[in-house]
Amino acid sequence: MRFDTKIGIVVRDDLATWQKLNVTAFLASAVAGGAPETIGESYEDGSGNAYLPMFRQPVLVYTAGSLASVREKAVARGLRVAVYIEEMFKTGHDDANRAAVRAVAAPDLQLVGLAVYGPKNAVDKTLKGLHLHP
């Protein structure tokens, strides 16, 4: 199935595996929370057990050495963007995460991950040249 939108997550390639997974999970939740149209219907198994809904389309995960230019391109194209910065590894809750991001000007964010969501062509142009996570 073809979608007219795309969800892309980019994680910095020098992170530990647990950090990559953690960042990816947080950024995916940002897309789900900030773009509810990305979520499909709830699931149910043959025994009648209900399960949470998931994204209605694939999420592609990429790696990069530096994320600043990716963020700049995404913002310039009007895409919805979520960021995860180094300082967030040291915080313990959502309010502290927001405060950590708010404390730094955009060009100075120490990005370790970001998610972009929007029209497929714009996301493809923004992520052009990045490699899919192995």
Side-chain angles (χ1 to χ4, degrees):
M1 177 177 232
R2 299 250 179 199
F3 295 95
D4 58 348
T5 59
K6 188 170 190 173
I7 302 168
I9 294 176
V10 186
V11 294
R12 207 172 66 197
D13 57 12
D14 64 344
L15 299 178
T17 301
W18 75 266
Q19 291 173 315
K20 290 177 183 177
L21 293 169
N22 184 264
V23 168
T24 301
F26 271 96
L27 292 170
S29 74
V31 175
E37 69 275 12
T38 62
I39 301 299
E41 297 295 322
S42 296
Y43 286 75
E44 184 177 310
D45 65 26
S47 299
N49 297 301
Y51 301 98
L52 295 170
M54 293 186 268
F55 286 123
R56 62 180 179 83
Q57 66 189 89
V59 177
L60 298 175
V61 181
Y62 301 83
T63 62
S66 174
L67 305 179
S69 65
V70 178
R71 189 201 66 79
E72 291 170 10
K73 290 176 191 175
V75 170
R77 288 189 170 93
L79 298 173
R80 296 190 217 179
V81 179
V83 297
Y84 197 107
I85 62 173
E86 282 183 11
E87 186 65 25
M88 291 166 70
F89 287 129
K90 302 173 191 167
T91 62
H93 56 86
D94 194 41
D95 289 338
N97 287 345
R98 280 194 302 281
V101 174
R102 190 178 313 110
V104 183
D108 300 322
L109 291 170
Q110 297 299 307
L111 296 166
V112 296
L114 61 87
V116 295
Y117 170 71
K120 183 182 180 315
N121 289 344
V123 172
D124 284 343
K125 288 177 184 176
T126 300
L127 303 179
K128 185 176 182 174
L130 298 182
H131 298 285
L132 285 171
H133 193 286

